[in-house]
């Protein structure tokens, strides 16, 4: 499953809401390393801001 740039903040927010990083990563179809990379790059951004990056 390919995750679009607009979905990245949604995936990151899911982990903030309680479930484990592993569970969120599996549900999104990404590795935990990808999740942490995204969190480092996109943390705190809204979907419209991710498109600019």
């Amino acid at each position: 499953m390919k995750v679009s740039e607009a979905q990245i903040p949604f995936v990151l927010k899911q982990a903030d809401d309680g479930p484990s990083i592993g569970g969120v990563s599996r549900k999104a179809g990404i590795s935990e390393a990808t999740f942490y990379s995204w969190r480092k790059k996109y943390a705190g951004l809204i979907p419209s801001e991710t498109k600019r990056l």
Side-chain angles (χ1 to χ4, degrees), residues 5 8 12 34-45 50 53:
E5 289 179 350
I8 293 172
L12 296 175
T34 298
F35 176 87
Y36 288 114
S37 174
W38 286 354
R39 186 164 73 177
K40 183 178 178 182
K41 186 173 182 181
Y42 297 110
L45 299 180
T50 61
L53 295 176

Side-chain angles (χ1 to χ4, degrees), residues 10-21 24 35 39:
F10 177 72
V11 171
L12 296 175
K13 180 159 176 22
Q14 284 182 325
D16 291 340
D17 292 341
S20 69
I21 304 291
V24 171
F35 176 87
R39 186 164 73 177

Side-chain angles (χ1 to χ4, degrees), residues 20-34:
S20 69
I21 304 291
V24 171
S25 298
R26 277 190 299 279
K27 187 174 179 183
I30 60 171
S31 70
E32 286 187 41
T34 298

